[in-house]
Amino acid sequence: MDETSQKIVDAAMVLIREKGYVATTTKEIAKTAGVNECTLFRKFQSKKEIVLEGVSQAQWRAGITPDIFEKVSWELTTDLEMFMRMYMDRMTPEFVNLSIGLRAPQIYEETAPFIQKVPQAFLTAFTDYLRKMQEKGKLPETEIDTFAVTFFSAVFGYTFLRASFGEAFVKVGQDAYIRHSVQMLVKGLERV
Protein backbone atom coordinates (compact mmCIF):
# COMPACT_ATOMS: atom_id res chain seq x y z
CA MET A 1 0.00 0.00 0.00
CA ASP A 2 1.38 3.42 -0.88
CA GLU A 3 1.89 6.14 1.70
CA THR A 4 -1.12 8.22 0.64
CA SER A 5 -3.47 5.25 0.83
CA GLN A 6 -2.16 4.38 4.28
CA LYS A 7 -2.68 7.97 5.44
CA ILE A 8 -6.29 7.74 4.28
CA VAL A 9 -6.81 4.42 6.07
CA ASP A 10 -5.21 5.73 9.26
CA ALA A 11 -7.31 8.89 9.18
CA ALA A 12 -10.51 6.90 8.68
CA MET A 13 -9.75 4.56 11.56
CA VAL A 14 -8.92 7.45 13.92
CA LEU A 15 -12.15 9.23 13.01
CA ILE A 16 -14.23 6.08 13.42
CA ARG A 17 -12.63 5.54 16.81
CA GLU A 18 -13.60 9.08 17.81
CA LYS A 19 -17.00 9.47 16.12
CA GLY A 20 -18.20 6.10 14.86
CA TYR A 21 -18.65 4.88 11.32
CA VAL A 22 -21.89 6.67 10.47
CA ALA A 23 -20.74 10.10 11.69
CA THR A 24 -17.43 9.89 9.81
CA THR A 25 -17.53 11.40 6.32
CA THR A 26 -15.17 10.98 3.39
CA LYS A 27 -14.65 14.74 3.44
CA GLU A 28 -13.38 14.53 7.05
CA ILE A 29 -11.23 11.52 6.23
CA ALA A 30 -9.60 13.38 3.35
CA LYS A 31 -9.01 16.48 5.46
CA THR A 32 -7.50 14.44 8.33
CA ALA A 33 -5.28 12.54 5.89
CA GLY A 34 -4.10 15.79 4.31
CA VAL A 35 -5.45 14.95 0.84
CA ASN A 36 -8.36 16.20 -1.19
CA GLU A 37 -11.50 14.14 -1.54
CA CYS A 38 -10.75 13.42 -5.22
CA THR A 39 -7.49 11.74 -4.19
CA LEU A 40 -9.37 9.69 -1.62
CA PHE A 41 -11.76 8.42 -4.33
CA ARG A 42 -8.89 7.68 -6.71
CA LYS A 43 -7.43 5.40 -4.06
CA PHE A 44 -10.66 3.90 -2.70
CA GLN A 45 -14.15 3.48 -4.13
CA SER A 46 -15.97 4.13 -0.85
CA LYS A 47 -15.69 4.78 2.86
CA LYS A 48 -16.51 1.12 3.44
CA GLU A 49 -13.56 0.03 1.29
CA ILE A 50 -11.24 2.24 3.34
CA VAL A 51 -12.53 0.76 6.58
CA LEU A 52 -12.22 -2.82 5.34
CA GLU A 53 -8.61 -2.14 4.42
CA GLY A 54 -8.05 -0.75 7.90
CA VAL A 55 -9.55 -3.69 9.79
CA SER A 56 -7.47 -6.08 7.69
CA GLN A 57 -4.31 -4.53 9.20
CA ALA A 58 -3.11 -5.97 12.52
CA GLN A 59 -2.15 -2.49 13.76
CA TRP A 60 -5.85 -1.55 13.74
CA ARG A 61 -6.67 -4.67 15.75
CA ALA A 62 -4.41 -3.51 18.60
CA GLY A 63 -1.61 -5.74 17.35
CA ILE A 64 -3.21 -8.70 19.10
CA THR A 65 -2.00 -11.83 17.33
CA PRO A 66 -1.25 -15.30 18.75
CA ASP A 67 2.50 -14.70 18.65
CA ILE A 68 2.40 -11.98 21.34
CA PHE A 69 1.49 -14.71 23.84
CA GLU A 70 4.44 -16.98 23.05
CA LYS A 71 6.74 -16.00 25.93
CA VAL A 72 5.43 -18.42 28.52
CA SER A 73 7.29 -19.69 31.58
CA TRP A 74 5.15 -22.82 32.06
CA GLU A 75 4.27 -21.54 35.53
CA LEU A 76 0.49 -21.13 35.67
CA THR A 77 0.17 -17.98 37.78
CA THR A 78 2.89 -16.11 35.91
CA ASP A 79 1.54 -17.13 32.52
CA LEU A 80 -2.10 -16.29 33.29
CA GLU A 81 -0.98 -12.85 34.41
CA MET A 82 1.03 -12.46 31.20
CA PHE A 83 -1.97 -13.38 29.02
CA MET A 84 -4.16 -10.83 30.79
CA ARG A 85 -1.53 -8.10 30.75
CA MET A 86 -0.63 -8.56 27.06
CA TYR A 87 -4.29 -8.19 26.07
CA MET A 88 -5.06 -5.31 28.43
CA ASP A 89 -1.93 -3.35 27.54
CA ARG A 90 -2.85 -3.45 23.85
CA MET A 91 -6.64 -3.20 24.03
CA THR A 92 -6.62 0.42 25.13
CA PRO A 93 -9.78 2.52 25.45
CA GLU A 94 -9.02 3.86 21.95
CA PHE A 95 -9.11 0.35 20.48
CA VAL A 96 -12.26 -0.48 22.43
CA ASN A 97 -13.90 2.62 20.95
CA LEU A 98 -12.71 1.65 17.47
CA SER A 99 -14.14 -1.83 17.92
CA ILE A 100 -17.47 -0.33 18.91
CA GLY A 101 -17.36 2.09 15.94
CA LEU A 102 -16.74 -0.83 13.57
CA ARG A 103 -19.98 -2.50 14.68
CA ALA A 104 -22.26 -0.10 12.81
CA PRO A 105 -25.05 -2.07 11.11
CA GLN A 106 -24.01 -0.68 7.71
CA ILE A 107 -20.64 -2.49 7.86
CA TYR A 108 -20.81 -5.07 10.63
CA GLU A 109 -21.32 -8.05 8.35
CA GLU A 110 -18.03 -7.23 6.63
CA THR A 111 -16.08 -6.06 9.70
CA ALA A 112 -17.16 -8.84 12.09
CA PRO A 113 -14.66 -11.42 10.79
CA PHE A 114 -11.84 -8.93 11.34
CA ILE A 115 -13.09 -7.77 14.76
CA GLN A 116 -13.32 -11.43 15.80
CA LYS A 117 -9.63 -11.94 15.02
CA VAL A 118 -8.76 -10.31 18.35
CA PRO A 119 -10.61 -12.78 20.61
CA GLN A 120 -9.66 -15.61 18.23
CA ALA A 121 -5.97 -14.75 18.58
CA PHE A 122 -6.25 -14.76 22.36
CA LEU A 123 -8.32 -17.93 22.57
CA THR A 124 -6.16 -19.83 20.07
CA ALA A 125 -2.97 -19.03 21.95
CA PHE A 126 -4.56 -19.60 25.35
CA THR A 127 -6.22 -22.95 24.59
CA ASP A 128 -2.98 -24.17 23.01
CA TYR A 129 -1.12 -23.12 26.16
CA LEU A 130 -3.66 -24.90 28.41
CA ARG A 131 -3.41 -28.11 26.38
CA LYS A 132 0.37 -28.08 26.64
CA MET A 133 0.15 -27.42 30.39
CA GLN A 134 -2.08 -30.48 30.74
CA GLU A 135 0.34 -32.55 28.66
CA LYS A 136 3.16 -31.44 30.97
CA GLY A 137 1.07 -32.45 34.00
CA LYS A 138 1.02 -28.85 35.28
CA LEU A 139 -2.73 -28.36 34.93
CA PRO A 140 -5.44 -30.67 36.27
CA GLU A 141 -7.86 -32.27 33.84
CA THR A 142 -10.48 -29.63 33.12
CA GLU A 143 -12.70 -28.56 30.26
CA ILE A 144 -10.15 -26.41 28.45
CA ASP A 145 -12.50 -24.62 26.07
CA THR A 146 -14.81 -23.61 28.93
CA PHE A 147 -11.90 -22.43 31.06
CA ALA A 148 -10.47 -20.45 28.12
CA VAL A 149 -13.77 -18.66 27.46
CA THR A 150 -14.26 -17.97 31.18
CA PHE A 151 -10.75 -16.54 31.45
CA PHE A 152 -11.12 -14.45 28.29
CA SER A 153 -14.50 -13.15 29.50
CA ALA A 154 -12.82 -11.85 32.65
CA VAL A 155 -10.16 -10.10 30.57
CA PHE A 156 -12.60 -8.78 27.97
CA GLY A 157 -15.20 -7.65 30.50
CA TYR A 158 -12.76 -5.69 32.62
CA THR A 159 -11.16 -4.09 29.56
CA PHE A 160 -14.46 -2.99 28.04
CA LEU A 161 -15.95 -1.78 31.33
CA ARG A 162 -12.87 0.26 32.15
CA ALA A 163 -12.70 1.72 28.62
CA SER A 164 -16.40 2.54 28.58
CA PHE A 165 -16.84 3.94 32.09
CA GLY A 166 -13.37 4.62 33.46
CA GLU A 167 -12.35 4.51 37.06
CA ALA A 168 -15.69 5.97 38.17
CA PHE A 169 -17.23 2.54 37.53
CA VAL A 170 -14.25 0.18 37.74
CA LYS A 171 -12.58 0.96 41.02
CA VAL A 172 -9.97 -1.83 40.85
CA GLY A 173 -6.73 -0.94 39.07
CA GLN A 174 -5.46 -3.16 36.27
CA ASP A 175 -2.54 -4.68 38.19
CA ALA A 176 -4.68 -5.51 41.22
CA TYR A 177 -7.40 -6.93 38.99
CA ILE A 178 -4.94 -9.17 37.16
CA ARG A 179 -3.28 -10.38 40.36
CA HIS A 180 -6.51 -11.13 42.26
CA SER A 181 -8.35 -12.64 39.29
CA VAL A 182 -5.49 -15.00 38.56
CA GLN A 183 -5.25 -15.98 42.23
CA MET A 184 -8.95 -16.86 42.29
CA LEU A 185 -8.75 -18.84 39.04
CA VAL A 186 -5.67 -20.78 40.14
CA LYS A 187 -7.27 -21.62 43.51
CA GLY A 188 -10.38 -22.77 41.66
CA LEU A 189 -8.31 -25.02 39.39
CA GLU A 190 -6.56 -26.54 42.40
CA ARG A 191 -9.96 -27.75 43.64
CA VAL A 192 -10.82 -29.49 40.36
Side-chain angles (χ1 to χ4, degrees):
M1 172 168 295
D2 65 60
E3 186 179 336
T4 301
S5 296
Q6 189 62 53
K7 283 181 182 180
I8 293 167
V9 167
D10 294 346
M13 300 307 273
V14 166
L15 289 166
I16 290 167
R17 179 179 70 203
E18 293 171 359
K19 302 172 65 166
Y21 178 79
V22 174
T24 298
T25 66
T26 55
K27 185 175 185 171
E28 289 174 305
I29 295 169
K31 181 179 178 184
T32 302
V35 300
N36 63 46
E37 207 170 0
C38 292
T39 300
L40 181 146
F41 284 113
R42 276 197 301 274
K43 301 287 185 180
F44 298 96
Q45 292 181 2
S46 65
K47 176 171 72 169
K48 182 187 278 189
E49 184 181 338
I50 299 167
V51 171
L52 293 177
E53 176 58 40
V55 294
S56 73
Q57 299 175 358
Q59 70 183 17
W60 289 110
R61 291 191 309 275
I64 297 176
T65 58
D67 61 307
I68 67 167
F69 304 107
E70 289 179 350
K71 293 184 181 179
V72 295
S73 66
W74 303 112
E75 195 284 309
L76 188 61
T77 298
T78 301
D79 292 340
L80 294 180
E81 288 180 1
M82 179 274 296
F83 271 92
M84 286 184 122
R85 188 164 281 105
M86 294 299 277
Y87 181 88
M88 290 179 178
D89 286 349
R90 284 168 174 73
M91 189 52 69
T92 62
E94 292 80 18
F95 280 108
V96 170
N97 290 337
L98 177 60
S99 177
I100 292 166
L102 293 170
R103 296 167 195 262
Q106 299 85 341
I107 58 168
Y108 187 65
E109 190 173 316
E110 291 93 346
T111 59
F114 295 103
I115 295 168
Q116 292 167 5
K117 286 186 178 203
V118 171
Q120 286 169 348
F122 185 98
L123 289 169
T124 297
F126 191 60
T127 55
D128 184 53
Y129 166 77
L130 293 174
R131 283 191 178 85
K132 288 177 183 170
M133 284 291 280
Q134 278 188 341
E135 290 168 10
K136 291 175 178 286
K138 294 184 172 201
L139 185 68
E141 285 297 319
T142 187
E143 173 48 49
I144 287 176
D145 292 330
T146 301
F147 180 73
V149 170
T150 300
F151 185 74
F152 180 69
S153 296
V155 177
F156 179 89
Y158 177 85
T159 303
F160 270 68
L161 281 173
R162 189 153 186 201
S164 298
F165 304 111
E167 292 180 17
F169 188 80
V170 179
K171 306 232 185 276
V172 179
Q174 179 177 310
D175 289 336
Y177 179 80
I178 290 171
R179 188 173 52 258
H180 294 300
S181 296
V182 167
Q183 286 173 0
M184 285 187 281
L185 288 166
V186 169
K187 283 180 183 177
L189 281 173
E190 289 170 354
R191 294 181 182 166
V192 173

